[in-house]
Amino acid sequence: SRPSMATTSYLSAFGVPQLAGLSNKLPFPNFFRVVSSDAQVMQVLALMVSTTFDYSEVNMLYFDAPSQILQSHDFVTAANDLGIKVSPYRIPHSGQVGGEVDRVNRVKMLASLQSIRDSTCRVVVAFAIGKEACELWQAAYDLGMIRAHGWVWLGGDGIDGNQLNRDLKRATPFEGTIYITASSQTPSLGTFKELWALHMSKTEIPEFGERNFNCEGQHLCMNHTGFQGWKQGLHDEQLLCEGDASLMYDAAVTLAVVLDRLLTQKNIAIESLTATDWMEELQQLADPTKFFQCLSGEIAFDANQERLMGMDVFNWHSGQLAGVRVGSWRKARGFSWEIGETVVWPSGDQMKITNSYHLPGLPSGLPPVCSPGFVYDVQASGCMPCQKGHFLPSRNDTMYFHCLVCRSGTYSDSTGSTECSVCPPGSYSNDDGASECFLCAVGRHQPHPGSSDCSKCEAGTFANGTGAMNCERCPSGKHQANEGYADCDACAETFVTNHRGATSSSECVCSKGTYFERNRGACVMCDLVFLECPGGHLQINSNDSDMSVRVREGYMTLREDPFSIYTCVDGSLRCPGSRSWCDIDRSMCANGFDASVMRCGRCLADHYLSSDRMCRPCEANTPLNVFKLVATCVAQLVFVFYMYCRYNRPNPSGMISAGNLITFFQTLQSLSLLPLRWPIPTKMLFDAINVLSVEGLTVLLEYDIDCLTSDAAIFEVVLNAISPLVVFADFALLHCVFWLFRQRLQLDFVMNIIGMWYTKLFISISRMTMELFFTERMPNGKLMVKAVPDLEFDSPKWREVVPLSVAACALYCGTTLVVTACAVYQAPFWAATCPHFTARYRFAFGALRPDRWWWVLVQVFFGFLTNLVLAISSNAHASLYLSVFVLVIFTGLEYIVLPFKYPENNFADLCLKSALVIFLILSTSFIDHSVLSKEYEDEQNKFFGHLLFAIILLAVACIALSILYWSLTLLCPERSETASNARILWRFRDVMLAQLMMPEHEALQKMSQLSQYDILKLESATQTVVNILFGQQFSPAWRHRRLIRGATSQMWNYPSMFANLMQQIESGDCSAKIKANGEVRKCLVLFAAALREHGSDRQSTSSMASRAKSMIRSSEIKFTSAAQMDRDTKFSPDEFRDFCSRVTEGRLADEEADLIFQAFDFAGKGSVSQQDIVLALAGLAPREVSTSHSVLRLGNASLRPERTTFGFQL
């Protein structure tokens, strides 16, 4: 180049154009370069990187020699124009271009290589020549930068093979490297020859002859392996000229072509040619229509007079000293790849080219793609997990080659994380790359996730543990005035705060439902059922009394014990609204009732209880009180006189029902004493019924007893104790009145009315005598007497009056029970012998059926038990359940017995008692649980649970007993119902036969003694006989129908039967049939008597059936078959006849034995078993009918009497 540059400098001064190879054309405007410039080569290299390989980033290595610096500059310029990011790495050269790299520069070279290795880009463009290139590629090979995934190595003409210096060992690192150079020979010699003939027709074949050309150093071209001159038969077959030789030849040819065009096309004489003509024609070679092919390729120049040469792409293969041409670039068509050729990549992958526009197996130019959470480690040559505090997400479209750092507020506590976890609420991380989050310290909180710090808890809040998401507000009873504390300060014991989050001790108060007790200096729980405790007493006011407590409506308390609660009598009437316990005397009891008396049970002094249940002031009105007392006595005397006149006559149905209604009301009065919280309608009902009591009449008539005595409680007890004796006072007055009119009271009538007084009012009388035992439990646990509200059970005052009540109970209840029991016991005898029995004891037996005369004793016991169960227990559950039990027992017994002589009375009384049962069952809803403690309720639940279990066991036991009885009847036939039914049936037939012989007028006389229920029984017995014995339906009515097995539904016709009976009597058939039946019965009796006397077991047996059973089983009786009788043995008629003969020792004839056999064979089987004999004897010849009976005494000599002496008389 230096000679060309010197020559060009001279020629340019005269404007003479020149064609040659030149490195730098800019200073020489008349110069046409026939060698492609480095800038053009670098442009094509950058174009290949961008368009063909599609890389957007490359690493550029170059030594800082002048030629490499120019190449790197040209590549960077071209790359920037194409948007390629270039990372340059400059390596100092060691003085001689292409020489060995010295030690210092080698260190820098290795550092540059290591930087590239650690980067994310594996595309390397290197500019080096000679030994520098070999050492660079060898160092990269040793660092693993070639034989690894994704690496791409590119270069220029510095690695076209000259760097190997024909040493094949140096070629190994270059395997897979791709480099690009300008094309140096035509692709087709034949085309070149054709073009030569076209354009150079006047010349001969070009030839260099023997001239010496300086190709390299001092060697002649003809002796150089790279150039041998033109030889016919050789160069025309294959052009062997390489390097600059072809380019120099093309320059000479270009001048010849341009001269030919000037002479032939422009017709310029050769002697007239100027430098300008030459310059203009040479510039015409920039026109594509002027291009032509030459030895080294197409001759064409651009506007800058640079030759537009093609480029060849070479690929280093294994074991080669020169690269293999795998593609080319031409300006007109771009890159083209050699189909069928093999491309080798640095990783060692080899791919066959199958598409001229696509290079197969193109490396990624990037490190290997690792799984999410892993990154490629160059030193380890593999994917390594991200460390704690780092992460690498799923790549998608973003390429990561370094693990990302977790920012503050996030963390990664494991290697290989794909994302950073957000610090949960209650924790934080204040540094990047955290592997864990730190819990908020006590007194701090963080409600949000992903935080880098925790905040202090505000005043009124706290966090007593680490990791708090939110600070808790100070609970009730605590407060906190400062920030960032782990706990709250507690209020004084028993004090609370009205809200959470209190910030001062001034907010500590007694809670709702408590009150402040100054003596204890603490808040005390109050019973919210009975007291209203709004609370709110301030802790800072601990020296003051709590004035906020109020007693609820319906309850009261005494001044001396303000927190001992009592239930008020009449509820809100006496204790309306809530009242302050601090103002007991003025507001605790309303309407004139005394607040110093428990339950507001008494009126104030000089007050009495009026009929409107309020206290009225006492008035000096003695005449009025005397009048009311006299009027009451007169009314009572009139009522007793009416009873004397009315109730000494037979009892009609209506009066019996009235008596039952009185009993019903008395029972309700007693049940009203149950310790239940009755609803208002029920209370009103009880108030209306209680008007009929002594206390009710006293209040109704407004006897101001409280104004007459200082101790009304004792007066009431005494009044109730003596009030049952008023009937005797009434009869004493009536006796005086009758005596004035010279009349006498009948003693039987008087005794009947007195008995009626005590029996019909027995429930009320017994209740009055037991009233001190009817108690009600107060909320404070005390038991108060219901009848005397201000009297406490078992108190000293109660003990003073209870003897009077016990004596009255013994006098009235005991006497009534004893008299009634004696009357019931003696009634059958007195009714037959005492002429005054009916009049004197009408009160007891007048309303009852004659066969149910004893029911009056049941009624008295019912009245006594009704009150007794209420008196023996203050337990609401026990009293209620026992009352239900008593009612159910007596109601069920009455349903079975039906004691009253009129059916309508039984129906009405059963309805009343059933209503009471339902009433009590529903009353379980009114148990007042507010006065019951939790322990008490648990104890009751346990007790009644065991009781229910026992009841179920009892029911199961009854079923088991019934099954056991059935099993016994199977084992012992004499115990079966068949034998019992047979006895009853034949007894009924005997009775009917006996009453058939009773005279008709005598039967009519007895008819007046029949009650309605006797008539119903006779009708029922008649219906049974018709259904069973006659096999007919008694009546077409459905209520008289019966399912009859083996019989038709024929209706019984009484007139027809009566006519038939008269016919048989008239014809004598009736007597004959009766006599025939008598003969059978007689034979059976005789057979039974023989069994008794002839049995093998002479000892007494329990029944005829047992004796027969023993006799039959006895081995002493021999049969004709010589077989012994057992359960499976059956008698034929002949065998039974022989058996009878042996048993009776011949005293029964054969025809009589046949009659017995027919009786035993009642099933018509033609044979008789042991069981048949036992059942028949048990029914037809019971033990109580024996030969010792006077009617059946037949003589001692023989058991077979004369037939005429037996006959109908049986």
Side-chain angles (χ1 to χ4, degrees):
S1 295
R2 284 189 296 271
S4 297
M5 293 172 64
T7 303
T8 301
S9 299
Y10 293 122
L11 293 178
S12 296
F14 300 97
V16 179
Q18 179 187 4
L19 280 79
L22 189 66
S23 294
N24 189 354
K25 175 194 174 295
L26 294 179
F28 310 107
N30 292 343
F31 178 75
F32 288 82
R33 179 157 45 197
V34 294
V35 180
S36 291
S37 66
D38 287 338
Q40 186 179 359
V41 175
M42 295 301 105
Q43 287 177 0
V44 175
L45 179 60
L47 187 65
M48 182 177 67
V49 171
S50 175
T51 60
T52 302
F53 291 174
D54 196 22
Y55 296 140
S56 61
E57 182 180 0
V58 295
N59 296 298
M60 185 179 69
L61 278 167
Y62 68 97
F63 287 89
D64 58 359
S67 59
Q68 281 84 18
I69 291 175
L70 290 174
Q71 284 181 330
S72 64
H73 178 269
D74 291 339
F75 179 78
V76 170
T77 302
N80 290 338
D81 293 341
L82 294 172
I84 301 174
K85 179 183 177 182
V86 180
S87 299
Y89 294 90
R90 180 175 178 174
I91 306 172
H93 75 283
S94 301
Q96 184 180 359
V97 178
E100 292 183 0
V101 181
D102 60 22
R103 183 176 59 82
V104 175
N105 291 338
R106 183 175 182 82
V107 173
K108 297 180 179 180
M109 180 183 68
L110 291 176
S112 297
L113 288 173
Q114 289 174 351
S115 297
I116 293 174
R117 186 186 64 177
D118 294 339
S119 69
T120 60
C121 178
R122 293 195 168 191
V123 180
V124 183
V125 177
F127 300 121
I129 60 175
K131 292 181 179 180
E132 289 175 341
C134 291
E135 291 190 27
L136 177 63
W137 257 261
Q138 185 63 48
Y141 184 86
D142 294 340
L143 291 174
M145 297 173 65
I146 294 179
R147 291 292 184 265
H149 174 83
W151 287 102
V152 178
W153 284 80
L154 304 172
D157 56 2
I159 56 171
D160 59 357
N162 292 325
Q163 79 277 14
L164 300 181
N165 198 19
R166 296 190 176 276
D167 186 355
L168 192 59
K169 293 181 180 179
R170 295 182 178 183
T172 299
F174 292 95
E175 293 178 9
T177 301
I178 292 177
Y179 66 93
I180 187 168
T181 63
S183 299
S184 61
Q185 67 180 40
T186 182
S188 175
L189 183 60
T191 302
F192 171 72
K193 293 169 66 177
E194 292 176 357
L195 291 173
W196 184 278
L198 175 64
H199 296 292
M200 306 295 290
S201 58
K202 296 180 180 181
T203 63
E204 297 181 355
I205 297 176
E207 179 177 350
F208 295 102
E210 299 299 329
R211 295 185 61 188
N212 293 329
F213 288 89
N214 188 358
C215 294
E216 180 179 356
Q218 299 299 320
H219 299 287
L220 297 176
C221 287
M222 57 185 304
N223 297 323
H224 191 270
T225 56
F227 180 72
Q228 298 178 358
W230 186 274
K231 294 182 179 181
Q232 194 67 27
L234 177 62
H235 291 149
D236 57 355
E237 297 294 333
Q238 180 179 6
L239 185 63
L240 298 180
C241 289
E242 297 178 357
D244 293 339
S246 60
L247 299 176
M248 299 302 178
Y249 184 74
D250 284 347
V253 171
T254 300
L255 292 176
V257 170
V258 170
L259 177 60
D260 181 71
R261 289 177 178 177
L262 288 172
L263 297 176
T264 59
Q265 295 180 6
K266 291 188 176 183
N267 297 318
I268 300 175
I270 192 167
E271 62 272 9
S272 300
L273 291 176
T274 64
T276 302
D277 294 334
W278 281 96
M279 189 71 179
E280 290 177 353
E281 193 62 31
L282 283 171
Q283 289 177 343
Q284 289 294 317
L285 291 176
D287 184 359
T289 61
K290 303 294 186 178
F291 295 169
F292 65 92
Q293 293 291 333
C294 200
L295 184 64
S296 62
E298 189 176 55
I299 302 299
F301 295 99
D302 59 14
N304 201 31
Q305 300 169 186
E306 299 277 0
R307 183 182 178 185
L308 299 177
M309 289 189 67
M311 304 291 171
D312 290 332
V313 181
F314 293 90
N315 180 218
W316 281 99
H317 289 196
S318 176
Q320 298 288 335
L321 290 175
V324 176
R325 184 174 179 273
V326 294
S328 62
W329 174 87
R330 298 294 181 268
K331 183 175 179 59
R333 57 180 171 81
F335 286 96
S336 177
W337 305 103
E338 297 291 335
I339 297 177
E341 193 59 70
T342 300
V343 62
V344 178
W345 299 107
S347 63
D349 295 338
Q350 300 183 12
M351 306 293 293
K352 186 74 71 174
I353 299 175
T354 59
N355 190 326
S356 61
Y357 298 101
H358 176 69
L359 200 61
L362 185 66
S364 65
L366 301 169
V369 179
C370 298
S371 302
F374 288 75
V375 70
Y376 186 77
D377 190 328
V378 178
Q379 295 180 351
S381 298
C383 293
M384 299 297 291
C386 294
Q387 298 301 310
K388 293 181 179 180
H390 296 72
F391 75 102
L392 198 60
S394 301
R395 296 182 183 277
N396 295 330
D397 295 333
T398 305
M399 307 296 289
Y400 297 97
F401 301 100
H402 298 284
C403 292
L404 305 180
V405 178
C406 295
R407 300 303 178 189
S408 61
T410 63
Y411 72 100
S412 171
D413 58 356
S414 61
T415 59
S417 297
T418 60
E419 61 180 357
C420 293
S421 301
V422 177
C423 289
S427 64
Y428 70 98
S429 65
N430 53 4
D431 293 323
D432 293 341
S435 60
E436 62 177 340
C437 293
F438 301 100
L439 297 177
C440 293
V442 293
R444 292 177 174 266
H445 74 108
Q446 182 50 259
H448 305 294
S451 299
S452 60
D453 196 7
C454 295
S455 304
K456 287 184 177 181
C457 293
E458 298 177 352
T461 64
F462 72 100
N464 58 1
T466 59
M469 291 187 291
N470 295 289
C471 294
E472 297 182 39
R473 291 184 295 172
C474 291
S476 178
K478 291 189 176 184
H479 57 89
Q480 180 54 258
N482 302 311
E483 294 182 350
Y485 271 70
D487 200 358
C488 298
D489 299 327
C491 296
E493 187 177 1
T494 70
F495 282 90
V496 298
T497 53
N498 284 331
H499 59 87
R500 299 180 63 190
T503 60
S504 172
S505 60
S506 62
E507 298 182 60
C508 296
V509 297
C510 287
S511 65
K512 185 177 181 179
T514 66
Y515 64 94
F516 178 71
E517 187 173 329
R518 189 172 57 178
N519 295 335
R520 296 171 56 181
C523 300
V524 180
M525 291 294 298
C526 67
D527 198 328
L528 297 179
V529 177
F530 318 109
L531 297 176
E532 292 181 2
C533 297
H537 188 83
L538 298 178
Q539 175 182 324
I540 58 177
N541 296 333
S542 58
N543 294 327
D544 300 332
S545 298
D546 190 349
M547 308 295 292
S548 62
V549 182
R550 301 181 68 84
V551 182
R552 290 186 181 275
E553 183 176 73
Y555 300 96
M556 63 87 61
T557 183
L558 301 176
R559 172 175 289 277
E560 56 270 19
D561 193 2
F563 294 102
S564 179
I565 309 300
Y566 294 90
T567 304
C568 290
V569 180
D570 295 334
S572 60
L573 179 64
R574 301 191 186 188
C575 302
S578 61
R579 290 136 293 137
S580 173
W581 66 274
C582 298
D583 195 16
I584 290 179
D585 291 341
R586 287 182 291 178
S587 64
M588 187 58 64
C589 297
N591 299 321
F593 289 96
D594 191 354
S596 64
V597 176
M598 293 178 287
R599 305 187 66 193
C600 298
R602 293 291 170 191
C603 293
L604 291 168
D606 299 328
H607 286 70
Y608 69 96
L609 184 63
S610 64
S611 59
D612 57 0
R613 313 295 295 177
M614 295 185 182
C615 292
R616 304 294 183 189
C618 294
E619 297 178 358
N621 199 355
T622 305
L624 179 60
N625 290 333
V626 172
F627 173 77
K628 288 189 289 185
L629 180 61
V630 172
T632 302
C633 294
V634 171
Q636 183 175 326
L637 186 63
V638 171
F639 176 72
V640 171
F641 178 71
Y642 170 78
M643 292 176 61
Y644 175 82
C645 297
R646 173 63 188 85
Y647 284 95
N648 284 305
R649 291 182 291 174
N651 301 61
S653 173
M655 298 308 296
I656 295 175
S657 295
N660 293 338
L661 185 61
I662 292 174
T663 302
F664 173 76
F665 285 144
Q666 291 180 87
T667 306
L668 277 180
Q669 285 179 334
S670 295
L671 295 180
S672 68
L673 299 176
L674 283 168
L676 304 177
R677 186 182 291 273
W678 299 107
I680 293 178
T682 310
K683 285 184 177 180
M684 295 174 63
L685 173 65
F686 289 151
D687 290 341
I689 296 175
N690 286 332
V691 171
L692 303 177
S693 65
V694 174
E695 179 186 1
L697 288 173
T698 302
V699 175
L700 179 64
L701 298 176
E702 296 190 359
Y703 290 119
D704 47 356
I705 297 176
D706 294 336
C707 299
L708 303 177
T709 177
S710 60
D711 196 343
I714 296 179
F715 182 82
E716 288 180 4
V717 174
V718 173
L719 181 63
N720 288 335
I722 64 174
S723 58
L725 296 175
V726 70
V727 66
F728 292 98
D730 291 336
F731 273 113
L733 291 175
L734 282 178
H735 175 71
C736 295
V737 172
F738 271 61
W739 181 77
L740 291 176
F741 290 95
R742 300 188 181 278
Q743 298 291 331
R744 293 182 60 186
L745 292 174
Q746 297 187 34
L747 180 60
D748 294 333
F749 289 0
V750 171
M751 293 183 64
N752 177 51
I753 297 303
I754 293 175
M756 182 180 297
W757 176 271
Y758 282 100
T759 55
K760 296 303 180 184
L761 299 180
F762 186 75
I763 296 178
S764 296
I765 293 173
S766 61
R767 183 181 69 252
M768 288 190 297
T769 59
M770 299 181 190
E771 64 180 4
L772 293 183
F773 297 92
F774 298 146
T775 59
E776 181 179 1
R777 188 176 297 275
M778 296 292 104
N780 56 16
K782 295 181 179 181
L783 293 176
M784 305 299 294
V785 178
K786 289 184 69 75
V788 188
D790 58 333
L791 181 61
E792 182 181 355
F793 180 77
D794 202 27
S795 64
K797 189 175 182 180
W798 181 85
R799 295 192 190 99
E800 291 178 7
V801 295
V802 74
L804 178 61
S805 180
V806 173
C809 182
L811 175 62
Y812 302 132
C813 298
T815 302
T816 303
L817 287 172
V818 170
V819 171
T820 304
C822 291
V824 168
Y825 180 76
Q826 294 291 340
F829 175 73
W830 287 347
T833 60
C834 181
H836 305 291
F837 173 79
T838 301
R840 181 171 296 181
Y841 292 101
R842 190 183 303 278
F843 72 92
F845 312 116
L848 303 178
R849 292 163 48 184
D851 55 341
R852 300 291 188 266
W853 83 95
W854 44 266
W855 185 255
V856 64
L857 186 61
V858 176
Q859 287 179 313
V860 173
F861 268 107
F862 169 73
F864 183 76
L865 290 177
T866 299
N867 292 297
L868 183 63
V869 297
L870 298 177
I872 61 177
S873 174
S874 61
N875 184 329
H877 293 86
S879 299
L880 188 58
Y881 296 151
L882 285 174
S883 298
V884 172
F885 179 75
V886 169
L887 262 174
V888 169
I889 292 297
F890 279 93
T891 303
L893 183 61
E894 182 174 346
Y895 175 78
I896 297 172
V897 172
L898 298 176
F900 298 103
K901 60 183 179 181
Y902 299 110
E904 57 269 25
N905 298 134
N906 288 310
F907 174 77
D909 197 50
L910 285 173
C911 289
L912 293 176
K913 283 190 171 55
S914 300
L916 289 174
V917 172
I918 297 174
F919 175 82
L920 284 177
I921 293 175
L922 296 179
S923 296
T924 56
S925 304
F926 307 136
I927 294 177
D928 188 3
H929 294 275
S930 63
V931 299
L932 304 178
S933 64
K934 182 66 169 58
E935 296 77 10
Y936 178 81
E937 287 189 330
D938 292 341
E939 182 181 350
Q940 292 299 309
N941 292 338
K942 183 178 180 180
F943 171 76
F944 287 112
H946 291 162
L947 182 61
L948 288 176
F949 182 73
I951 292 173
I952 293 175
L953 283 183
L954 181 62
V956 173
C958 292
I959 297 297
L961 288 175
S962 66
I963 295 175
L964 179 62
Y965 177 77
W966 168 76
S967 302
L968 289 176
T969 59
L970 295 180
L971 297 175
C972 305
E974 67 274 11
R975 297 181 180 269
S976 68
E977 293 183 359
T978 305
S980 176
N981 295 346
R983 285 195 296 270
I984 294 174
L985 176 60
W986 257 262
R987 184 180 299 173
F988 175 78
R989 285 168 58 87
D990 292 341
V991 170
M992 289 298 99
L993 185 61
Q995 70 88 21
L996 183 63
M997 294 182 288
M998 179 183 294
E1000 298 295 343
H1001 69 277
E1002 187 176 348
L1004 291 175
Q1005 288 177 354
K1006 302 294 184 180
M1007 185 180 64
S1008 61
Q1009 300 179 14
L1010 294 174
S1011 66
Q1012 278 189 294
Y1013 282 98
D1014 295 332
I1015 299 298
L1016 291 175
K1017 285 184 178 180
L1018 288 177
E1019 184 179 10
S1020 176
T1022 305
Q1023 180 178 346
T1024 302
V1025 171
V1026 170
N1027 292 149
I1028 302 304
L1029 299 184
F1030 296 166
Q1032 297 177 352
Q1033 296 291 350
F1034 182 73
S1035 168
W1038 281 101
R1039 62 189 180 89
H1040 291 151
R1041 291 292 186 97
R1042 179 182 178 130
L1043 299 178
I1044 304 175
R1045 186 175 60 183
T1048 62
S1049 58
Q1050 179 182 358
M1051 294 297 169
W1052 176 60
N1053 191 329
Y1054 171 72
S1056 176
M1057 186 207 70
F1058 181 76
N1060 185 28
L1061 182 61
M1062 292 298 102
Q1063 268 187 346
Q1064 293 188 20
I1065 292 175
E1066 185 176 357
S1067 63
D1069 292 342
C1070 183
S1071 300
K1073 291 181 179 180
I1074 292 175
K1075 184 176 181 181
N1077 289 338
E1079 288 291 335
V1080 175
R1081 294 295 299 279
K1082 179 201 69 173
C1083 294
L1084 287 172
V1085 171
L1086 296 178
F1087 180 76
L1091 284 177
R1092 292 191 188 97
E1093 297 180 2
H1094 197 279
S1096 60
D1097 186 5
R1098 291 289 181 177
Q1099 298 177 0
S1100 174
T1101 57
S1102 60
S1103 65
M1104 182 65 225
S1106 299
R1107 180 61 65 89
K1109 187 175 181 180
S1110 176
M1111 181 67 195
I1112 293 171
R1113 288 179 176 176
S1114 176
S1115 59
E1116 297 179 3
I1117 305 300
K1118 301 297 183 181
F1119 301 99
T1120 56
S1121 61
Q1124 296 184 3
M1125 185 68 174
D1126 55 23
R1127 289 181 181 271
D1128 298 329
T1129 303
K1130 295 183 180 180
F1131 287 113
S1132 65
D1134 294 337
E1135 291 172 339
F1136 185 77
R1137 192 180 301 117
D1138 183 66
F1139 173 70
C1140 286
S1141 176
R1142 293 176 179 274
V1143 169
T1144 60
E1145 297 178 352
R1147 287 177 291 180
L1148 282 177
D1150 290 344
E1151 55 273 17
E1152 292 175 329
D1154 291 340
L1155 291 176
I1156 297 174
F1157 180 85
Q1158 292 175 6
F1160 288 163
D1161 187 20
F1162 50 84
K1165 297 179 294 184
S1167 62
V1168 173
S1169 65
Q1170 170 185 324
Q1171 187 173 358
D1172 294 336
I1173 297 174
V1174 172
L1175 295 180
L1177 288 178
L1180 301 180
R1183 185 179 184 186
E1184 58 268 21
V1185 181
S1186 63
T1187 54
S1188 62
H1189 198 280
S1190 59
V1191 178
L1192 296 178
R1193 189 178 301 277
L1194 304 178
N1196 295 327
S1198 174
L1199 289 177
R1200 185 174 60 184
E1202 294 295 333
R1203 299 183 190 276
T1204 54
T1205 62
F1206 194 78
F1208 187 73
Q1209 192 176 11
L1210 179 61

